[in-house]
Amino acid sequence: MSQSTTTDRGKPYHLRLPATSANLGPGFDALGLAMALYLTIDAWVADGFYIEATGRDADLCARLEDNLILTTYVDVLAVAGVLAPRLHLLINNEIPLGMGCGSSASALLAGVFLANHFGNLGWTGQQILEEACIREGHPDNVAACYLGGMTASLMSKNSLSTSTCGENLIWGLNLAMPPASLATEKARALLPATYPREDVVANIQSTALLVAAFAQGRGDLLRIAMQDRIHQPYRMKVCPLLPLLLPLADSSATLSPKIASPRILGVALSGAGPSVLIITEDAKPSALPAMIREAAGDESLEVLQTTISMGALEG
Ligand SMILES: Nc1ncnc2c1ncn2[C@@H]1O[C@H](COP(=O)(O)OP(=O)(O)O)[C@@H](O)[C@H]1O
Ligand SMILES: N[C@@H](CCOP(=O)(O)O)C(=O)O
């Protein structure tokens, strides 16, 4: 992107927003886990809109047209009746776009943070969070992106309630990334309007257990607690990695603690897919990528290894 002609940039407004893995299996639209892969933005008022982007999907992040960060920024200020100062954004992105890792949540939250700061809106953190959740349409990734750890969220009449736990857990978060992206909107359109009662009850039971597992650091519960019956079965056809990798959750269950194989705690679709999240007892186990590639039958499959993030930084 072309350079801003702003000569004296001064201290930038700085944002660092994590990727998120929503749902964690059964917690559809309710649970999200913040991951230590970041969208980092430095912003200054300038004489026009400029974006310089580096990192993952840098070409998409640097686009000025239909850019979710900028459209959110301009729209929030338009609704507030404030003329949006033009901005120069310096972006470094580590979050894969359209892969089920919450890139749109981080972009929306960034747009709202920028609007609040440069439009002097004076909003509280809660107002910023609620605005971004309303715009995303479901609170799970946005709330985890802001608050970090494993965040449970509930949106009722545009009012958000949240609770966070597990921010200090050192479990490994391993993401199997197929080559093609999948728009969340498309993956949501595959879900039925109603569900059998037994599927709903099974998901309520799993979700309750899953929250307890994160709150108490009970990795032994994840294999059972990450089972889902309300979105993953319907998304398998557009997320072909999922049926190949779900059995990995069972592979560790029978291992003797003496065997030095990476201990897999649980497996789920990451967000709306197509990536798959594999949680391990240890952070970044070096033997796991090869195990995942073998199960997927794809030697060149990308595997990202990361850990739990504490959430957003701003200022
Ligand atoms: N850093 C970013 N800059 C601009 N647009 C972004 C950014 N991150 C995400 N987006 C927009 O969000 C879309 C992906 O959102 P979505 O389909 O919900 O997938 P996910 O949130 O799982 O990555 C991208 O195609 C792009 O339009
Ligand atoms: N609960 C949502 C989560 C979407 O997450 P994303 O990272 O894929 O945008 C859903 O499952 O649709």
Side-chain angles (χ1 to χ4, degrees):
M1 200 61 251
S2 56
Q3 280 289 318
S4 161
T5 56
T6 313
T7 45
D8 180 16
R9 286 181 174 179
K11 187 175 178 291
Y13 174 64
H14 180 76
L15 285 171
R16 193 184 78 159
L17 305 174
T20 46
S21 187
N23 305 323
L24 300 171
F28 179 72
D29 280 2
L31 301 182
L33 183 62
M35 306 188 284
L37 301 168
Y38 295 99
L39 169 67
T40 306
I41 303 177
D42 285 305
W44 298 262
V45 171
D47 57 354
F49 283 106
Y50 301 95
I51 303 179
E52 294 173 74
T54 53
R56 196 159 182 130
D57 296 318
D59 49 337
L60 292 174
C61 294
R63 266 190 347 200
L64 284 179
E65 307 75 37
D66 292 326
N67 182 300
L68 191 57
I69 300 174
L70 289 185
T71 54
T72 305
Y73 167 71
V74 170
D75 193 57
V76 168
L77 289 181
V79 173
V82 176
L83 193 65
R86 293 170 187 157
L87 299 180
H88 184 145
L89 303 183
L90 196 57
I91 293 179
N92 181 255
N93 180 48
E94 297 175 343
I95 309 178
L97 268 60
M99 300 303 289
C101 298
S103 76
S104 58
S106 64
L108 278 164
L109 200 50
V112 181
F113 266 123
L114 290 168
N116 181 57
H117 179 78
F118 289 103
N120 294 311
L121 299 183
W123 286 359
T124 61
Q126 178 74 9
Q127 283 173 294
I128 292 169
L129 195 46
E130 285 174 351
E131 178 68 31
C133 287
I134 292 165
R135 286 172 180 267
E136 179 78 323
H138 46 91
D140 44 357
N141 326 70
V142 174
C145 180
Y146 194 129
L147 300 170
M150 201 290 291
T151 293
S153 52
L154 174 111
M155 196 78 186
S156 173
K157 298 191 183 126
N158 291 346
S159 166
L160 181 72
S161 302
T162 59
S163 179
T164 296
C165 60
E167 348 35 334
N168 297 316
L169 292 170
I170 48 162
W171 292 338
L173 310 180
N174 307 270
L175 292 155
M177 281 288 132
S181 64
L182 169 65
T184 301
E185 209 181 335
K186 198 170 156 196
R188 288 179 82 81
L190 297 171
L191 306 184
T194 58
Y195 293 92
R197 177 178 172 154
E198 56 271 27
D199 289 350
V200 175
V201 170
N203 264 54
I204 291 170
Q205 292 170 334
S206 301
T207 305
L209 207 55
L210 187 53
V211 173
F214 271 89
Q216 299 177 342
R218 290 277 308 276
D220 60 302
L221 292 176
L222 292 190
R223 186 176 64 86
I224 292 289
M226 286 175 73
Q227 292 182 0
D228 165 70
R229 287 163 65 165
I230 70 171
H231 74 107
Q232 292 186 170
Y234 305 96
R235 288 170 162 172
M236 293 243 186
K237 60 184 168 199
V238 291
C239 302
L241 268 186
L242 184 61
L244 299 173
L245 300 185
L246 275 177
L248 286 176
D250 299 323
S251 66
S252 291
T254 50
L255 282 182
S256 144
K258 289 181 192 146
I259 294 177
S261 172
R263 203 156 286 276
I264 295 169
L265 301 177
V267 180
L269 194 64
S270 186
S275 299
V276 175
L277 172 71
I278 296 122
I279 303 185
T280 47
E281 192 164 74
D282 298 323
K284 307 187 183 181
S286 58
L288 193 74
M291 248 173 102
I292 293 173
R293 289 183 188 117
E294 191 185 338
D298 180 355
E299 279 181 14
S300 59
L301 185 72
E302 182 180 7
V303 179
L304 288 181
Q305 295 190 288
T306 186
T307 49
I308 295 175
S309 161
M310 304 287 277
L313 291 179
E314 104 36 72

